[in-house]
Amino acid sequence: MLDLALPLAVSFFCRMGMASTDSAFVGHINDGVHAAETYLAAAVLSDMCVNVMMVPPLAFNQVLNALVGQAVGSDNPKMAGVWLQQ
């Protein structure tokens, strides 16, 4: 179980670290037109919107992957076809 969980945890923390680094760099932008808080708010809001739009398709994909894998593993390709066509 740890063999499966470790890469997932590393991926999660790397993604979280990348978002934190992006926010830190964007928070230091100062071009004289807008304040750094404006750019930081825009970056964080866009990151939140992307995550909200991206999570449901990924969750659906993971569930479908498990169901089709179970159908193929039990030597039932007809059921795999049913899951893929719904």
Side-chain angles (χ1 to χ4, degrees):
M1 186 66 118
L2 188 61
D3 292 339
L4 297 173
L6 187 62
L8 185 63
V10 169
S11 172
F12 174 77
F13 285 117
C14 286
R15 189 177 314 131
M16 190 171 61
M18 188 174 66
S20 299
T21 304
D22 290 345
S23 297
F25 277 106
V26 169
H28 285 89
I29 294 175
N30 190 3
D31 64 354
V33 177
H34 299 289
E37 293 87 9
T38 305
Y39 290 117
L40 182 59
V44 172
L45 182 63
S46 68
D47 190 35
M48 183 187 66
C49 289
V50 166
N51 284 334
V52 165
M53 299 301 259
M54 191 173 61
V55 167
L58 289 177
F60 177 74
N61 184 26
Q62 288 178 341
V63 170
L64 189 61
N65 197 8
L67 292 172
V68 171
Q70 183 180 11
V72 170
S74 66
D75 199 26
N76 191 356
K78 184 172 178 152
M79 190 63 186
V82 168
W83 283 118
L84 288 172
Q85 291 177 6
Q86 288 186 5

